[in-house]
Amino acid sequence: MRSIKRFLLISLISIICLGGLFTAFANYRDSQEQVEELFDAELAQMARMLQSLLASQMKRTNLDHLQDALVYEDYALDEKEEAGLSDGEEYTPLGHKYEKKLAFQVWSESGKLLIQTQSASQDLTRHQAGFNSDKVDGESWRTFTLFDENLRIWIQVAQQEDVRSELTAEIAEHAIWPSLLLIPIILLGVSWAVTRALRPLSTISRELKQRDYANLQTLDDANYPSELSILVDAINDLFQRLQATSDRERQFTADAAHELRTPLAGVKVHLQNAQEMAQSEPVSDCLRKALRGLDRLIHMVEQLLQLSRLDHERALSDAQPVQIDMLCQDILRESQPLIEEKNIRAEFNADGCAPIQGNPAALSILLRNLVDNALRYSPKDSQITLHVKNKTLVIEDQGPGIPPEQRQQAMERFHRGKQQNEIGSGLGLSICQRIADLHRAHMSLDERQDHQPGLRVQISFP
């Protein structure tokens, strides 16, 4: 199943990461170019400062004295001292470790070398005026050459490329590190924002999941962002159409069941009279079958009326403390004719019964349906058991039972199992389930715990 949240997070994080990496790379390259230009500008400035100093010096003396001044004792560090210098300890009492990577040379117009620093190499090429790159003894140098028209000399200032590259890389890295460190913070912010933006969808889903099938109230669109108004409006429109259809169906069922009660009662009276006046056994047998079918129809009409009344209930009405054990005994007394007819042994056990909050009339319908089912589907000379403990009711019979794969369907309306010999409409368990829902009770169908044939119905009240 596709996830909008996962899609948004992956897409936004990918875009931000790619954009951040591209920006960091672009900044890195731009920083390198800017730093390279700055170093080139410094070379040019050093060459012009040297030009000014040489012009002043040559007015007072010759360049030999200046060359003597450029000769100094080498202060090279040994390997141990060089290894001991950290990145922040590049300075020493004698100078800087990068000082030897800078050099300058001065030639006469004829090409004679006049002066140079100790770090300058004799192999540095005297290029034409401007910036150039040179390679001497495996070392790359960046040079700037200047020709003085008045002094008729060439001035060349040089810097090793490795120190330029090292410093350029350090400056560029320091420039892009803040951007790279900002990416995780942005990703966390995006994740929070996406989760926060999709929270109304989770709210709608949670609200719909918590509803039962009979709750078709419209959603309050004021609680959701305007972007979800189309979805909320569509859901509300569906609820309204379902509510209208359900109301018409219930009204039709109630009207039809109510209108059928009187005619069916009249037909039953006529059939009973005809059975009493029947002269032959075949006619009496036909009338007996007709009465049996009529009883089934009357039973279904009564259950339809019960279900219609229950469907209109949105919540439990007339709730009061009810002793479920006393109610069970009353229902068993009402069912005594059927118990005697089938010679069924009905056992009732009560253990620490606690009163429950419920509607006595609805609970009577629930118990009557469950006991009636147990008696109808149990064979003759069998046994049913009612057990009440605290707020839990258990009814067991010795009938054919319900296969596990059909137990959920058995509580749907008009569903009947393979056992069709007994009068039934397939509404009894659905009525019981509806009453249990109104009482916030849990109803389950299982096999008997002693592994004998039969059905075990358990209802746990809150």
Side-chain angles (χ1 to χ4, degrees):
M1 183 181 295
R2 295 181 60 185
S3 169
I4 297 177
K5 180 179 179 180
R6 187 182 300 112
F7 172 77
L8 287 176
L9 287 176
I10 293 176
S11 300
L12 292 175
I13 289 175
S14 299
I15 292 173
I16 291 174
C17 288
L18 291 176
L21 292 176
F22 176 78
T23 302
F25 178 75
N27 289 340
Y28 181 81
R29 296 293 298 174
D30 184 64
S31 298
Q32 278 188 320
E33 293 178 3
Q34 296 296 329
V35 173
E36 289 284 351
E37 292 178 2
L38 179 61
F39 282 145
D40 285 344
E42 288 180 347
L43 282 180
Q45 187 179 41
M46 289 169 61
R48 299 192 188 283
M49 290 178 62
L50 185 58
Q51 180 185 14
S52 300
L53 291 173
L54 290 176
S56 175
Q57 178 68 25
M58 293 181 70
K59 289 180 180 178
R60 298 194 303 268
T61 181
N62 56 37
L63 294 178
D64 292 336
H65 297 287
L66 186 58
Q67 177 64 43
D68 294 337
L70 293 174
V71 178
Y72 54 83
E73 183 180 357
D74 190 8
Y75 63 90
L77 301 174
D78 58 30
E79 292 183 1
K80 183 176 181 181
E81 291 175 324
E82 181 115 18
L85 291 177
S86 63
D87 292 340
E89 297 177 344
E90 296 167 344
Y91 298 93
T92 69
L94 300 177
H96 195 281
K97 69 177 185 178
Y98 287 158
E99 185 177 337
K100 298 177 183 179
K101 298 180 181 293
L102 298 171
F104 73 84
Q105 292 178 328
V106 178
W107 291 279
S108 65
E109 185 176 13
S110 61
K112 178 183 177 182
L113 182 63
L114 301 178
I115 59 173
Q116 68 174 3
T117 57
Q118 284 185 257
S119 56
S121 173
Q122 294 285 352
D123 297 327
L124 276 174
T125 304
R126 181 168 63 87
H127 296 280
Q128 295 297 318
F131 292 97
N132 292 279
S133 296
D134 203 0
K135 195 163 189 177
V136 179
D137 297 331
E139 297 287 345
S140 297
W141 291 78
R142 179 70 169 170
T143 64
F144 177 74
T145 306
L146 179 68
F147 180 70
D148 190 310
E149 296 286 348
N150 297 322
L151 301 178
R152 311 304 295 175
I153 59 175
W154 290 91
I155 302 172
Q156 185 180 67
V157 181
Q159 185 181 46
Q160 282 191 13
E161 290 280 7
D162 59 347
V163 68
R164 289 167 63 96
S165 300
E166 182 181 345
L167 294 175
T168 300
E170 288 183 4
I171 294 173
E173 287 175 4
H174 291 161
I176 66 171
W177 263 117
S179 299
L180 294 178
L181 293 176
L182 194 61
I183 289 179
I185 300 175
I186 295 175
L187 295 182
L188 290 176
V190 168
S191 178
W192 176 86
V194 169
T195 303
R196 182 67 180 83
L198 294 178
R199 187 175 298 171
L201 285 175
S202 300
T203 303
I204 292 177
S205 175
R206 185 167 55 252
E207 181 176 349
L208 294 178
K209 285 181 179 179
Q210 291 174 349
R211 293 189 176 196
D212 59 30
Y213 69 93
N215 187 357
L216 295 177
Q217 282 187 315
T218 57
L219 299 172
D220 186 4
D221 54 1
N223 296 331
Y224 303 104
S226 57
E227 290 80 4
L228 292 179
S229 60
I230 298 177
L231 175 62
V232 174
D233 291 343
I235 293 175
N236 288 340
D237 180 65
L238 176 62
F239 281 168
Q240 291 171 355
R241 287 186 281 120
L242 287 174
Q243 185 67 58
T245 302
S246 178
D247 290 343
R248 287 195 298 268
E249 177 187 341
R250 290 170 181 167
Q251 190 61 45
F252 171 78
T253 302
D255 293 343
H258 186 270
E259 293 298 326
L260 286 172
R261 291 181 72 183
T262 302
L264 289 175
V267 171
K268 183 174 182 179
V269 171
H270 290 306
L271 286 175
Q272 288 174 340
N273 292 334
Q275 188 180 21
E276 291 177 359
M277 293 184 295
Q279 299 283 327
S280 62
E281 184 63 27
V283 173
S284 179
D285 186 59
C286 289
L287 291 173
R288 189 165 47 252
K289 291 180 179 178
L291 279 171
R292 185 182 179 87
L294 186 61
D295 285 339
R296 177 175 176 178
L297 185 57
I298 292 173
H299 182 70
M300 182 174 68
V301 169
E302 292 294 335
Q303 287 190 324
L304 283 173
L305 285 172
Q306 292 176 358
L307 197 57
S308 176
R309 287 191 291 267
L310 291 171
D311 281 341
H312 285 85
E313 296 288 339
R314 289 287 180 264
L316 190 63
S317 60
D318 301 328
Q320 55 184 285
V322 178
Q323 286 294 143
I324 197 70
D325 54 337
M326 302 296 294
L327 206 56
C328 288
Q329 295 180 48
D330 292 340
I331 298 301
L332 287 176
R333 279 193 292 267
E334 291 178 12
S335 305
Q336 195 62 33
L338 184 56
I339 292 175
E340 293 177 354
E341 179 186 340
K342 301 186 71 172
N343 193 29
I344 292 177
R345 188 170 62 259
E347 290 188 1
F348 173 72
N349 302 312
D351 183 11
C353 299
I356 63 172
Q357 284 294 117
N359 182 296
L363 290 173
S364 296
I365 294 173
L366 180 145
L367 288 174
R368 189 175 293 111
N369 276 282
L370 291 178
V371 171
D372 185 69
N373 277 350
L375 292 173
R376 289 181 182 276
Y377 289 98
S378 292
K380 290 183 178 181
D381 304 319
S382 60
Q383 176 181 324
I384 68 167
T385 304
L386 280 73
H387 181 72
V388 179
K389 182 177 182 180
N390 295 328
K391 295 184 179 182
T392 300
L393 168 65
V394 176
I395 300 178
E396 292 182 332
D397 60 49
Q398 293 180 341
I402 301 176
E405 64 274 8
Q406 296 182 15
R407 288 171 187 163
Q408 188 63 35
Q409 293 179 330
M411 289 187 282
E412 297 177 359
R413 300 183 183 190
F414 301 106
H415 176 82
R416 300 195 68 202
K418 296 179 180 180
Q419 184 73 15
Q420 301 288 341
N421 296 328
E422 296 297 328
I423 295 175
S425 59
L427 293 173
L429 288 178
S430 63
I431 292 174
C432 295
Q433 180 65 62
R434 178 61 181 155
I435 295 174
D437 290 341
L438 288 173
H439 287 78
R440 297 184 179 179
H442 176 69
M443 176 176 167
S444 62
L445 307 179
D446 298 291
E447 63 272 1
R448 292 170 58 99
Q449 292 185 340
D450 56 8
H451 305 294
Q452 294 184 11
L455 181 67
R456 183 177 192 268
V457 181
Q458 177 173 312
I459 302 178
S460 301
F461 293 92

